[in-house]
Amino acid sequence: MPRATRAFQVLGRCTRLAPYGLSTRRGLRALALVGALVLAAPASAQWNPDGPAGNVPEDIGRMAEAVNALRQQSGRAPLKLQPQLMAAAQWHAETMGQMRTLSHIGRGGTRVQDRMRLAGYETCGGGENIAFGALQTVDDVARGWYDSPGHRQILLDPEVREMGIGRAATPDGLTYWVLDVGQRPAVAPIVLNNEARATQTSQVTVYVYGLVSDECRGPARPIVQVTLANSPDFSDAQTFAYSPTLSWTLAPGEGPRTVYARLLDSSGRVLEAQDDILVSSTAPPPSTASDLSPPVQTYTVPGPNGAPTYLTVYRQTQIVPSNLAVTALPCAGSLTGCWQAAPAGGWGPGLPAPSGPPGSGSWPYR
């Protein structure tokens, strides 16, 4: 007999903190999405801040592409992966995976702004989206954030410029995702091909942020001139009048490539920036955030005595208050696990007690 289960998506309401950055409308915000996510084999993604974009794990790179695809479709500038934000996001993803609990409150009671600062990232504002589950694609996670109004506000924030993505998986197939976004003063990133992990050709598009400020809430100065080069000594440099997008030819051949930039602002000061991309004839096309799972899916899984069992997954979405943490718990039966929502009260040595106003759901084990 076919078995059925529901793959829940639980969306947390917006948590607003006191503004302390360029954005006077809002400060850091945090939102949670619990989904049914199917991803690569369990692995803890590691970010190498000194390495080229080709060293970004494939699923992290695809998430960055999906985030920027959704931003581009909404008329927003692309975000650049930033090492310290990557560290903050990865730390929290691994913490959630180890504790099997989805919450914006991390170890020692840390919140998103605490984790950014501990990683050395002093932001002028931003926010965090999180997700967990099984049996969904990377694009499903990004699109799930986009389809929730509160999460979309963070995903499409026009004031942020950089992002960090973290991913951690449990042995039974649960995957935890973190997206942190922020903006630093006196930083104007450049972004190659919407932060695609790889490209098949040496022709790329360089996005250049056009305003810079010395401090949060400080007056902004426009970038008036852009100098690009493939060599760190700028021996092959070309100079352009400022434009938000510039066409550029990478150094010939395949492999990791870096583009270096010197940005001249209206006061005569020069900022430096760079971005990386992998050139490969086998590079897949970048994500358009459209590789989505159908609302109803049937899987074949091993059943009793090895006989095939057909499992039908029905996807649902449900809203939970922002003061709840969601913990993955053992569940009766060999094909499903369960989650339960309980008040978030920090991280102790064990899991939060499943008490208070609960939400619950199940996912099929892989």
Side-chain angles (χ1 to χ4, degrees), residues 131-191:
F132 101 106
L135 294 175
Q136 228 178 8
T137 67
V138 175
D139 288 2
D140 283 333
V141 183
R143 182 65 69 170
W145 285 330
Y146 180 84
D147 288 341
S148 162
H151 295 82
R152 184 168 61 245
Q153 189 178 16
I154 291 174
L155 187 75
L156 302 183
D157 190 335
E159 298 172 3
V160 298
R161 300 183 173 190
E162 297 171 312
M163 64 177 160
I165 297 168
R167 174 192 178 275
T170 64
D172 57 348
L174 284 180
T175 305
Y176 289 81
W177 285 94
V178 178
L179 170 67
D180 287 340
V181 297
Q183 177 191 358
R184 295 176 293 166
V187 173
I190 66 169
V191 185

Side-chain angles (χ1 to χ4, degrees), residues 42-96:
S44 180
Q46 297 295 323
W47 169 255
N48 176 9
D50 299 317
N55 287 345
V56 176
E58 183 176 354
D59 50 0
I60 297 290
R62 184 164 184 87
M63 178 62 81
E65 293 171 355
V67 167
N68 278 337
L70 292 168
R71 287 179 64 88
Q72 182 181 45
Q73 293 163 20
S74 302
R76 298 289 193 266
L79 304 180
K80 185 183 186 306
L81 288 171
Q82 201 281 334
Q84 292 157 318
L85 279 181
M86 293 290 285
Q90 184 61 31
W91 176 35
H92 192 49
E94 290 178 356
T95 296
M96 290 193 297

Side-chain angles (χ1 to χ4, degrees), residues 167-258:
R167 174 192 178 275
T170 64
D172 57 348
L174 284 180
T175 305
Y176 289 81
W177 285 94
V178 178
L179 170 67
D180 287 340
V181 297
Q183 177 191 358
R184 295 176 293 166
V187 173
I190 66 169
V191 185
L192 303 183
N193 282 11
N194 284 335
E195 203 65 342
R197 182 172 180 267
T199 178
Q200 292 186 1
T201 74
S202 60
Q203 292 298 129
V204 295
T205 298
V206 183
Y207 184 88
V208 184
Y209 278 86
L211 294 173
V212 66
S213 176
D214 290 331
E215 58 187 18
C216 297
R217 299 193 185 96
R221 303 183 303 278
I223 302 297
V224 297
Q225 182 178 282
V226 180
T227 300
L228 300 177
N230 290 320
S231 302
D233 61 2
F234 283 77
S235 58
D236 58 351
Q238 296 183 42
T239 298
F240 308 87
Y242 173 77
S243 174
T245 57
L246 296 168
S247 180
W248 183 251
T249 303
L250 302 171
E254 296 196 354
R257 295 292 181 267
T258 302

